[in-house]
Amino acid sequence: MTLSNLDIINECDSFPYPYTDPALYNASLSTYYTLRIPDCNHDLGYMLPSVATVFDNVPNWSLDHDARTLTLTAGTNASERSAAVHQTLLALRQTGHFKVLDKWRDELYGVYGPGRELLFSVERSASPLFGIVTYGVHMNAYVRGKDGELKIWVPRRARTKQTYGGMLDNCVAGGIAVGETALECLVRECAEEASLPEDIVRERVKSVGCVTYFHIRTEKAGGETGLMQPECQYVYDIELPEDVVPKPGDDEVEEFYLWGVEEVREALGKGEFKPNCGLVMVDYFVRMGELNAENEGDLIEICARLHRRLEFPTL
Amino acid sequence: MTLSNLDIINECDSFPYPYTDPALYNASLSTYYTLRIPDCNHDLGYMLPSVATVFDNVPNWSLDHDARTLTLTAGTNASERSAAVHQTLLALRQTGHFKVLDKWRDELYGVYGPGRELLFSVERSASPLFGIVTYGVHMNAYVRGKDGELKIWVPRRARTKQTYGGMLDNCVAGGIAVGETALECLVRECAEEASLPEDIVRERVKSVGCVTYFHIRTEKAGGETGLMQPECQYVYDIELPEDVVPKPGDDEVEEFYLWGVEEVREALGKGEFKPNCGLVMVDYFVRMGELNAENEGDLIEICARLHRRLEFPTL
């Protein structure tokens, strides 16, 4: 069965919506615990009860079963809160409580407040436990042949990668560490993942907005299932000259293909893309006019779903 | 005071959101009446109580004050329902009940069900009374100077126009009549409003997705204030050769300006654009990279707000 473009979005943006699925949405919200800090009247993430209850009686955390909140009580600034979170996560990693922590990355993601201020940072592999918003960059690289035909660079992820091994990806993608800007992250990842020279990237890359979605992790992601991942990806396009060829720069990519639109759409339809990369590719096809009002009946829903308004403060 | 890009979005997408403004959102929903037809379990629009109650005891309509619904009871197909709506609206126009009907257009807009089937059509000027979703096309036209500098064609609306007279607009924009496709509508409006030849439009125009927002009408729109207008605009970009110059083709446009990015941004900041045209211009600047993660702190919210998920079935 061929996946529709909306199916591809559904696979990535899988958290229910209050308008279209109020029963499931309300059931979800009445089950989850929310991550909080004192004196900030905003939910910072949604947590499974099975995850939140692990923090019961852990120093620096306060669990309220009636309000279904997990509050980080330590610290009065980002540095103190971050240290407390780090200490807890190191301990949880040692005790082997959560499978996702086996993929410890030694990279910090930021959690932001309503004024976009950094509240604290979290080890990357732990972010789905807290259900916090994470940020990344995704870049579509394409070539215009002499006949004007559009060709798209599509990497295949290394089969040895722990998450989504062997699946197709966007040309370059990566997570934004705390303190890094989106563009710095992109330039770094272009060198690491695709061996693209910094000067070519800076000269040619074009920011084209961002996509936001709310993913519920499945077994494909590895680790616990059902964890919540609201994400924001800053999206960039780059038109490359025909003689600039992306090459794997680390062990994350097996091979780059240069495919026409039809080949990419076929692979999308077969579900060969990592879910959020499939979503970014659909966004690219919308912006390039390949998907339009005349040929895509779901266009309005697709455009809305590519830009979900998240329930949490964002960067 | 200069408006931020988010201010420009706020002016257009002014209906409250459940996440960020739950009190106002719930108060709104507990006040409005919803438009319904029998055997279709979906709200088709939100109506002010002052509007809905006018339909009390009108043949073909059933008003339920407890459920706060106005149901069109006539007909079992689109043609029969449309005829009943038209009959009611003609009568309301004659009695002078609603100021918006003074601008009767003799154009029909479609109201669609959850399977995108046409349920019935409504005279254009009456659509904000019912709060139904309406559809249109907006096209940004631009020129790349020899130095690569981006210039944008910006029309000023005729000062005699009843709505938003004298304000700035997108190069071409118009409403999609029932039975018309987005592209047909665009080609027609390009000829009517900007004298752009059909062959140039068809060859060069690029579909780039759609924007959706939920507007509450103010006195600037003319007619009753507080009426609800959820809208979807299919967006197109066209790069024009320097020698193709848009010219007013009817009495809707006073003059076309060819402005650089800074001039357009200045006019946006002064609130000189018609609200939904300002929103489309912000979307254009996002897609062109003028607004990006490095220079627009509200980028994530802007992208989400440009693509609101509406509460109603859409085309």
Side-chain angles (χ1 to χ4, degrees):
Chain A
M1 207 190 79
T2 302
L3 299 175
S4 70
N5 294 302
L6 187 56
D7 291 335
I8 292 160
I9 305 294
N10 283 337
E11 188 170 354
C12 182
D13 183 41
S14 47
F15 194 84
Y17 277 83
Y19 304 145
T20 48
D21 208 346
L24 186 57
Y25 179 80
N26 291 329
S28 302
L29 261 61
S30 63
T31 305
Y32 298 146
Y33 283 61
T34 58
L35 177 67
R36 314 275 300 199
I37 63 168
D39 304 323
C40 172
N41 192 25
H42 288 267
D43 297 336
L44 303 175
Y46 291 154
M47 302 178 69
L48 288 181
S50 57
V51 173
T53 49
V54 170
F55 291 75
D56 204 7
N57 294 315
V58 172
N60 297 325
W61 299 88
S62 167
L63 193 67
D64 182 333
H65 289 293
D66 293 328
R68 290 195 322 283
T69 55
L70 174 67
T71 304
L72 170 63
T73 52
T76 57
N77 58 45
S79 161
E80 290 170 12
R81 289 186 206 106
S82 303
V85 173
H86 193 65
Q87 190 184 19
T88 304
L89 290 175
L90 282 175
L92 288 173
R93 179 194 187 189
Q94 281 210 319
T95 56
H97 244 105
F98 296 113
K99 284 180 280 179
V100 289
L101 297 185
D102 294 346
K103 297 175 190 166
W104 194 273
R105 305 281 292 247
D106 267 329
E107 265 180 71
L108 292 175
Y109 276 176
V111 179
Y112 302 89
R116 297 194 214 111
E117 72 283 17
L118 178 67
L119 298 177
F120 54 93
S121 56
V122 173
E123 149 64 23
R124 175 171 174 169
S125 60
S127 54
L129 294 174
F130 294 114
I132 52 175
V133 182
T134 62
Y135 305 86
V137 293
H138 280 241
M139 187 180 78
N140 306 291
Y142 63 97
V143 175
R144 285 269 180 208
K146 287 189 192 70
D147 53 358
E149 198 202 350
L150 186 64
K151 297 258 190 190
I152 301 157
W153 284 108
V154 177
R156 186 178 295 284
R157 296 163 71 87
R159 292 177 207 260
T160 53
K161 260 191 100 104
Q162 291 166 306
T163 55
Y164 307 102
M167 298 192 85
L168 300 175
D169 208 321
N170 302 124
C171 180
V172 167
I176 302 175
V178 65
E180 192 178 38
T181 74
L183 190 60
E184 281 168 20
C185 173
L186 182 74
V187 169
R188 175 176 59 72
E189 294 281 354
C190 280
E192 288 174 13
E193 293 192 349
S195 317
L196 291 173
E198 177 170 344
D199 57 340
I200 290 184
V201 173
R202 287 195 186 273
E203 189 194 319
R204 293 179 161 257
V205 77
K206 182 177 166 191
S207 165
V208 292
C210 56
V211 293
T212 39
Y213 50 84
F214 199 153
H215 186 58
I216 301 181
R217 281 165 76 102
T218 66
E219 61 286 346
K220 284 188 200 171
E224 286 77 7
T225 60
L227 301 179
M228 278 150 283
Q229 247 177 271
E231 297 194 324
C232 170
Q233 310 292 356
Y234 295 97
V235 182
Y236 297 84
D237 288 351
I238 193 168
E239 183 176 347
L240 289 178
E242 287 184 87
D243 60 349
V244 174
V245 174
K247 287 182 202 65
D250 53 21
D251 54 2
E252 307 223 339
V253 170
E254 180 180 295
E255 186 181 357
F256 281 93
Y257 307 112
L258 186 60
W259 280 350
V261 170
E262 279 316 306
E263 283 168 289
V264 175
R265 291 189 68 167
E266 201 180 310
L268 279 171
K270 287 185 189 160
E272 292 185 14
F273 277 82
K274 180 182 171 224
N276 67 344
C277 301
L279 179 143
V280 168
M281 195 57 82
V282 170
D283 172 66
Y284 175 73
F285 283 149
V286 169
R287 289 182 294 97
M288 297 300 276
E290 293 291 335
L291 302 178
N292 54 56
E294 320 296 309
N295 67 15
E296 176 49 85
D298 295 317
L299 187 69
I300 299 173
E301 181 170 357
I302 287 171
C303 288
R305 300 282 300 282
L306 287 168
H307 307 93
R308 183 169 187 146
R309 194 160 193 213
L310 299 171
E311 287 92 331
F312 316 105
T314 50
L315 178 51
Chain B
M1 207 191 78
T2 303
L3 299 175
S4 70
N5 294 302
L6 187 55
D7 291 335
I8 292 160
I9 305 294
N10 283 336
E11 189 170 354
C12 181
D13 183 41
S14 47
F15 193 85
Y17 277 83
Y19 304 146
T20 48
D21 209 347
L24 187 57
Y25 179 80
N26 291 328
S28 302
L29 261 61
S30 63
T31 306
Y32 299 146
Y33 284 61
T34 58
L35 178 67
R36 314 276 300 199
I37 63 167
D39 304 323
C40 172
N41 193 24
H42 288 267
D43 296 336
L44 303 175
Y46 291 155
M47 302 179 68
L48 288 181
S50 57
V51 174
T53 48
V54 169
F55 291 75
D56 203 7
N57 294 315
V58 172
N60 296 325
W61 300 87
S62 166
L63 192 68
D64 182 332
H65 288 293
D66 294 327
R68 291 195 322 283
T69 54
L70 175 67
T71 304
L72 171 62
T73 53
T76 56
N77 58 46
S79 161
E80 289 170 12
R81 290 186 204 106
S82 303
V85 172
H86 193 65
Q87 189 183 20
T88 304
L89 290 174
L90 282 175
L92 288 172
R93 179 193 187 190
Q94 281 209 320
T95 56
H97 245 104
F98 296 114
K99 283 181 280 179
V100 290
L101 297 185
D102 294 345
K103 297 174 191 167
W104 194 272
R105 306 282 290 246
D106 266 329
E107 263 181 73
L108 293 175
Y109 275 176
V111 179
Y112 302 88
R116 297 195 213 108
E117 72 281 16
L118 178 67
L119 297 178
F120 55 92
S121 57
V122 173
E123 150 64 25
R124 175 171 174 169
S125 61
S127 55
L129 294 173
F130 295 114
I132 52 175
V133 182
T134 61
Y135 305 86
V137 294
H138 280 240
M139 187 180 79
N140 305 291
Y142 63 97
V143 175
R144 285 269 180 208
K146 286 191 192 69
D147 53 356
E149 199 203 349
L150 186 64
K151 297 258 188 189
I152 301 157
W153 284 109
V154 177
R156 187 178 294 284
R157 295 163 70 87
R159 293 176 206 261
T160 51
K161 260 189 98 101
Q162 291 165 308
T163 56
Y164 307 102
M167 298 192 84
L168 300 174
D169 208 322
N170 303 123
C171 180
V172 166
I176 302 176
V178 65
E180 191 178 38
T181 74
L183 189 60
E184 281 169 20
C185 173
L186 182 73
V187 168
R188 175 176 58 73
E189 294 282 355
C190 281
E192 288 174 14
E193 293 193 350
S195 317
L196 291 173
E198 178 171 343
D199 56 341
I200 290 183
V201 173
R202 288 196 185 271
E203 189 194 319
R204 293 179 162 258
V205 78
K206 181 176 164 189
S207 164
V208 292
C210 56
V211 293
T212 39
Y213 50 83
F214 198 152
H215 186 59
I216 301 181
R217 281 164 75 103
T218 66
E219 61 287 348
K220 284 188 200 171
E224 286 78 6
T225 61
L227 301 179
M228 278 150 280
Q229 247 176 274
E231 296 194 324
C232 170
Q233 309 293 355
Y234 295 98
V235 181
Y236 297 82
D237 289 350
I238 192 167
E239 183 176 346
L240 289 178
E242 288 184 85
D243 60 350
V244 174
V245 173
K247 287 182 202 67
D250 53 22
D251 54 2
E252 307 223 340
V253 170
E254 181 180 294
E255 187 181 355
F256 281 92
Y257 307 112
L258 186 61
W259 280 351
V261 170
E262 280 317 308
E263 284 168 288
V264 175
R265 290 188 68 166
E266 202 180 310
L268 279 171
K270 288 185 190 160
E272 293 184 15
F273 276 82
K274 179 180 172 227
N276 68 344
C277 301
L279 178 143
V280 168
M281 196 56 83
V282 170
D283 172 66
Y284 175 75
F285 283 149
V286 169
R287 289 183 293 96
M288 297 301 276
E290 294 292 335
L291 302 177
N292 54 56
E294 321 297 309
N295 68 14
E296 176 50 83
D298 295 317
L299 187 68
I300 299 173
E301 181 169 357
I302 287 172
C303 287
R305 300 282 299 282
L306 288 168
H307 306 92
R308 182 170 189 146
R309 195 162 192 210
L310 300 172
E311 287 93 333
F312 315 104
T314 49
L315 179 51

